[in-house]
Amino acid sequence: MQLYLDSANIGQIKEAASWGILSGVTTNPSLLAKEDPNVDVKQRILEIHKLVGGHLSVEVISTDTTGMLREADEIISWFPEATIKIPMLPQGLAAVKELSKKNIPTNVTLIFNPIQALAAANAGATYVSVFLGRLDDIGMNSVSVLEEITNIWFVHNMDAQIIAASIRNPLHIIQSAKAGAHIATIPYSVLKQSLNHPLTDAGIQQFLKDYDKMQTEIQKIMVDDTDK
Ligand code: E4P
């Protein structure tokens, strides 16, 4: 399962990209607005693109097909390999169909059930984003919804890549990988938290302490030898 960062924060993206584990980045209007309500979206997206290259989803804000296609054209004029993120609406599916005819990658977002996922895949979506955290928020079992979708994908050998989105904790990442999601898009805080373990930190401290002890012993032996 590939790891994407779900962020529009340059510092976070720069740092996570430097770890060498990122395969892409997803953004959305809320993430962009959270950084700076007056953000210049084009400039911010181009900055992110410079850091992570092609696998970058940029979301449209129109809710009609024509508007979505117009926005998609604009985003592609910023960088041609953009993935156009389209909300799961009938008008969005129509836009996905048009974009897929031109081989433009699309990521259908805000998917909460298997039929939405199937519909997006049938429209020609490259990626379908299944939101886990928001399902949990309304008392649903997000992982079993994701498993239903991945089972259908396996049975029918579907092409679209499943993105586990709205990830809220490290367990979501493990559950997404076990369920067979192709990608998990993860907020910076959750990714960073997932990479840490107190036993790793304690182990490093112990290794360094033992190494220092060994160096001190060697120094002592060398001093003793020169004294003879
Ligand atoms: C996915 O592409 C979305 O940007 C994201 O995962 C939404 O997550 P949230 O529910 O934490 O806002």
Side-chain angles (χ1 to χ4, degrees):
M1 183 179 76
Q2 292 187 332
L3 305 175
Y4 281 23
L5 198 69
D6 197 26
S7 174
N9 179 294
I10 295 298
Q12 293 177 352
I13 295 169
K14 205 181 262 179
E15 190 185 340
S18 76
W19 300 334
I21 59 172
L22 278 195
S23 298
V25 168
T26 51
T27 61
N28 67 37
S30 307
L31 289 170
L32 284 159
K34 194 169 94 183
E35 290 314 313
D36 171 6
N38 300 314
V39 71
D40 177 333
V41 174
K42 176 180 174 186
Q43 198 187 315
R44 175 56 57 104
I45 292 295
L46 286 176
E47 270 179 274
I48 300 173
H49 175 247
K50 217 182 198 171
L51 293 171
V52 294
H55 287 276
L56 170 58
S57 287
V58 186
E59 189 161 340
V60 298
I61 48 162
S62 300
T63 49
D64 63 296
T65 308
T66 313
M68 290 178 191
L69 292 174
R70 194 185 51 242
E71 282 188 67
D73 277 346
E74 196 191 335
I75 295 165
I76 289 159
S77 77
W78 301 345
F79 67 106
E81 69 274 39
T83 296
I84 310 300
K85 204 170 174 193
I86 307 251
M88 175 60 222
L89 288 170
Q91 298 86 333
L93 296 176
V96 168
K97 185 83 198 166
E98 285 309 307
L99 294 170
S100 78
K101 285 184 200 159
K102 299 191 215 162
N103 286 322
I104 294 167
T106 51
N107 172 357
V108 176
T109 188
L110 293 165
I111 287 181
F112 294 96
N113 72 40
I115 302 170
Q116 290 181 320
L118 265 178
N122 276 284
T126 319
Y127 304 97
V128 296
S129 285
V130 183
F131 278 46
L132 303 189
R134 295 191 197 190
L135 276 171
D136 291 343
D137 291 345
I138 58 158
M140 300 276 297
N141 183 341
S142 63
V143 176
S144 71
V145 172
L146 180 64
E147 279 168 354
E148 280 185 302
I149 295 171
T150 54
N151 284 342
I152 292 167
W153 250 239
F154 182 68
V155 170
H156 294 280
N157 201 15
M158 311 279 288
D159 283 336
Q161 300 255 297
I162 298 169
I163 302 183
S166 189
I167 296 275
R168 298 276 169 78
N169 54 58
L171 190 57
H172 272 159
I173 305 174
I174 299 167
Q175 289 167 322
S176 300
K178 282 170 75 178
H182 302 95
I183 297 160
T185 189
I186 307 163
Y188 171 85
S189 56
V190 178
L191 186 56
K192 186 139 194 199
Q193 177 193 3
S194 308
L195 298 181
N196 289 331
H197 196 287
L199 289 178
T200 307
D201 296 341
I204 292 168
Q205 287 314 313
Q206 189 63 47
F207 288 148
L208 295 178
K209 219 167 106 191
D210 291 342
Y211 187 81
D212 275 351
K213 217 162 92 190
M214 184 176 71
Q215 292 300 310
T216 316
E217 288 301 319
I218 292 170
Q219 288 296 331
K220 235 166 71 189
I221 292 166
M222 281 166 64
V223 170
D224 287 352
D225 281 353
T226 44
D227 285 351
K228 279 180 195 163

